[in-house]
Protein backbone atom coordinates (compact mmCIF):
# COMPACT_ATOMS: atom_id res chain seq x y z
CA UNK A 1 0.00 0.00 0.00
CA UNK A 2 1.19 3.52 -0.72
CA UNK A 3 -0.01 7.10 -1.16
CA UNK A 4 0.57 8.56 -4.62
CA UNK A 5 2.99 11.51 -4.40
CA UNK A 6 4.27 10.63 -0.91
CA UNK A 7 7.89 10.07 -1.88
CA UNK A 8 9.29 10.66 1.62
CA UNK A 9 6.92 8.19 3.28
CA UNK A 10 5.38 10.50 5.90
CA UNK A 11 1.77 9.65 4.88
CA UNK A 12 1.01 13.10 3.43
CA UNK A 13 1.76 14.90 0.18
CA UNK A 14 3.43 18.30 0.41
CA UNK A 15 6.40 20.32 -0.83
CA UNK A 16 8.86 17.99 0.92
CA UNK A 17 7.80 15.13 -1.36
CA UNK A 18 8.71 17.05 -4.51
CA UNK A 19 12.04 18.02 -2.92
CA UNK A 20 12.72 14.36 -1.96
CA UNK A 21 12.01 13.17 -5.50
CA UNK A 22 14.27 15.85 -6.96
CA UNK A 23 17.01 14.85 -4.52
CA UNK A 24 16.73 11.19 -5.51
CA UNK A 25 16.78 12.06 -9.21
CA UNK A 26 19.52 14.69 -9.31
CA UNK A 27 21.59 15.02 -6.15
CA UNK A 28 22.35 11.42 -5.33
CA UNK A 29 20.46 11.55 -2.05
CA UNK A 30 19.72 7.85 -2.32
CA UNK A 31 16.95 5.65 -3.54
CA UNK A 32 13.34 6.03 -2.60
CA UNK A 33 11.51 3.50 -0.44
CA UNK A 34 8.57 3.59 -2.86
CA UNK A 35 9.26 4.46 -6.47
CA UNK A 36 5.58 3.97 -7.27
CA UNK A 37 4.58 6.66 -4.76
CA UNK A 38 7.08 9.08 -6.29
CA UNK A 39 5.56 8.47 -9.75
CA UNK A 40 3.12 11.31 -9.09
CA UNK A 41 1.66 11.42 -12.59
CA UNK A 42 1.38 7.60 -12.78
CA UNK A 43 3.00 7.34 -16.20
CA UNK A 44 5.13 4.37 -15.14
CA UNK A 45 8.39 6.35 -15.18
CA UNK A 46 10.23 8.21 -12.45
CA UNK A 47 11.53 11.49 -13.89
CA UNK A 48 11.39 15.30 -13.61
CA UNK A 49 7.73 15.34 -14.63
CA UNK A 50 6.76 13.74 -11.30
CA UNK A 51 7.84 16.49 -8.88
CA UNK A 52 6.51 19.05 -11.37
CA UNK A 53 3.14 17.27 -11.38
CA UNK A 54 3.10 17.24 -7.56
CA UNK A 55 3.92 20.95 -7.34
CA UNK A 56 1.34 21.82 -9.99
CA UNK A 57 -1.32 19.85 -8.13
CA UNK A 58 -0.44 21.38 -4.76
CA UNK A 59 0.15 25.01 -5.67
CA UNK A 60 -1.35 25.80 -9.06
CA UNK A 61 -4.65 23.96 -8.98
CA UNK A 62 -3.51 21.34 -11.46
CA UNK A 63 -5.00 17.89 -11.80
CA UNK A 64 -5.29 15.81 -8.65
CA UNK A 65 -2.79 13.04 -8.14
CA UNK A 66 -4.01 9.70 -9.54
CA UNK A 67 -5.14 6.88 -7.26
CA UNK A 68 -4.16 5.79 -4.73
CA UNK A 69 -4.78 9.34 -3.52
CA UNK A 70 -5.96 10.95 -1.25
CA UNK A 71 -5.96 7.69 0.73
CA UNK A 72 -3.25 5.03 0.64
CA UNK A 73 -4.05 1.93 -1.36
CA UNK A 74 -2.87 -0.39 -4.08
CA UNK A 75 -1.78 0.83 -7.51
CA UNK A 76 -4.71 0.41 -9.91
CA UNK A 77 -2.38 0.63 -12.93
CA UNK A 78 0.35 -1.78 -13.94
CA UNK A 79 3.95 -0.64 -14.31
CA UNK A 80 7.47 -1.68 -13.34
CA UNK A 81 7.72 0.60 -10.30
CA UNK A 82 7.51 -0.91 -6.82
CA UNK A 83 7.54 -0.14 -3.14
CA UNK A 84 10.15 -1.86 -1.04
CA UNK A 85 9.53 -3.18 2.47
CA UNK A 86 10.73 -0.99 5.30
CA UNK A 87 13.88 -2.18 7.07
CA UNK A 88 13.27 -4.45 10.05
CA UNK A 89 13.14 -2.68 13.41
CA UNK A 90 15.24 -4.24 16.17
Amino acid sequence: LFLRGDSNGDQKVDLSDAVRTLGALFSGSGGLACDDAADANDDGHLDISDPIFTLDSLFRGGRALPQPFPQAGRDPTGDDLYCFPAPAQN
Side-chain angles (χ1 to χ4, degrees):
L1 300 178
F2 69 94
L3 177 63
R4 179 83 56 205
D6 180 23
S7 48
N8 65 6
D10 66 357
Q11 305 304 307
K12 58 186 175 186
V13 178
D14 56 25
L15 176 62
S16 65
D17 296 298
V19 171
R20 175 69 180 103
T21 301
L22 288 167
L25 289 171
F26 299 110
S27 74
S29 65
L32 299 164
C34 185
D35 290 347
D36 220 355
D39 180 21
N41 60 10
D42 196 24
D43 68 354
H45 304 283
L46 191 54
D47 56 32
I48 186 67
S49 67
D50 297 302
I52 291 171
F53 191 93
T54 300
L55 294 170
D56 187 56
S57 179
L58 289 171
F59 300 111
R60 295 183 41 95
R63 291 184 302 143
L65 297 169
Q67 292 183 351
F69 181 86
Q71 302 297 322
R74 298 195 185 281
D75 191 353
T77 58
D79 55 43
D80 291 330
L81 299 175
Y82 299 98
C83 294
F84 304 97
Q89 300 288 324
N90 290 332

